[in-house]
Amino acid sequence: MTENTKDPEGLSYRAQAMLRAVAQGRAEITVSREPDLYVDGLPCSDQITAHLLAHAGLIRPARDGTPGGRVPAELSETGQDLVEPLVAAA
C-alpha cells in the first residue's frame, strides 16, 4: 500500500472499514510519528494497519494538536478517492 494506491481491492476489509469510519467523522488519530486510530472513542484493534494508512498518506490529523494527544482524523485527497467506490458499493 502506497500513497499512490488507487485500487481499493488492494486494501484489506479492515483497512477499508477504517477508511470509511474516518470518512464518516467517527475517528480520531493521535499526534505522533506512529499515529494510533480511535473509532467511536475506542482504540482500533489493528494499529499496524492504522500506521500503514497514515504512512501511506491516506489518513491524517484534521488539525494540529499536542504530541500524543488525540485530534479528529480526516482522509487525504488520495484517501477520499479510495473511499468513494467503497461507499458507492455499500
Side-chain angles (χ1 to χ4, degrees):
M1 177 175 18
T2 68
E3 185 172 352
N4 296 324
T5 301
K6 296 287 185 191
D7 181 10
E9 294 175 19
L11 297 172
S12 69
Y13 289 119
R14 185 174 293 163
Q16 292 176 33
M18 294 164 93
L19 290 174
R20 282 193 303 271
V22 172
Q24 294 166 349
R26 299 173 35 224
E28 295 176 297
I29 193 167
T30 58
V31 178
S32 164
R33 287 185 184 181
E34 291 295 339
D36 292 331
L37 191 67
Y38 292 76
V39 176
D40 298 332
L42 300 172
C44 285
S45 61
D46 186 355
Q47 292 298 345
I48 292 171
T49 297
H51 298 165
L52 290 172
L53 293 173
H55 292 299
L58 302 177
I59 61 173
R60 62 185 176 212
R63 61 176 169 79
D64 291 332
T66 58
R70 284 194 236 172
V71 298
E74 69 178 8
L75 296 173
S76 67
E77 292 78 17
T78 304
Q80 290 171 9
D81 290 344
L82 283 172
V83 168
E84 285 177 16
L86 300 176
V87 173

